[in-house]
Amino acid sequence: MNNYTNENTARRYKAHVSIFGTTQLHLRNPYIIAWWSAAFPGFGHMLLSKYLRGYALFIWEVIVNVNSHLNSSMVYSFQGNIDMAKEVLDTRWLLMYIPVYIFGIWDSYRTTVDMNRVYLLSEREDHHFNSYAIGALEINYLDKRNPLLAVMWSLFIPGLGQLYIHRIMTAIFVIVWLVVFHYYSHLAESIFLLIIGNVKEATSVLKPEWLLFMPSLYGFATYDSYVNTIENNKLFEKELRKHLAENYQSEGFQILKGQKVK
């Protein structure tokens, strides 16, 4: 006898509000998601709220990239020192890097296409979802936020924009790795030396193999906070419109399409 019971009251939900954040389905451009996976494996999946897969690919990228000296090789190639770029590469790690890197791009593209289809079906079903969550640790609810404020805080410190819109899982992950990249790249130390006018030492203390991770992290945090602020605002408006129509709109109210008001 099968003891499994499906507690869902709908086949597909388009959103879920929990104390850890608001997760929702919405239309995404699969090429943009694939581009973020190419920029840094894991980012494309995190944009899709596929957190476990995204975290795994992100951590894999950092470990394999550092051990293969890929970023160091890129720095030498930017400087035109091709021989040194080849010499520093560790092929034992590099050959393992390529297949997973390609998989991350392909899987994020494939998943985006599938999730877009699921979104269209969930929109047609238009079932109710929870719009408010309260627990011992947090409170989360749908409301409208300013996307420009989300961008501003993300540019100050990646992760703050996610905290502003209550994407707790992504915020914690981004902030932790920001600290790691700052520490191992010696960026803060270099900035301090630059401020006091010691330019040569400021350049020498930098670790480029860790520093090259920073632009991708800043870019992702800014883009993710901006897009999700806009989509959360849309979700809030849709949920409020549905609530008002069901509870306050007259049953006899009709909008006659194609007819002009005389």
Side-chain angles (χ1 to χ4, degrees), residues 36 54 80 91 119 135 158 179 197 205 237:
W36 277 110
T91 54
Y119 166 76
V179 173
V205 298
E237 291 175 353

Side-chain angles (χ1 to χ4, degrees), residues 19 34 147 230 240 244 259:
I19 63 172
I230 292 176
L240 181 60
L244 293 175
Q259 297 187 11

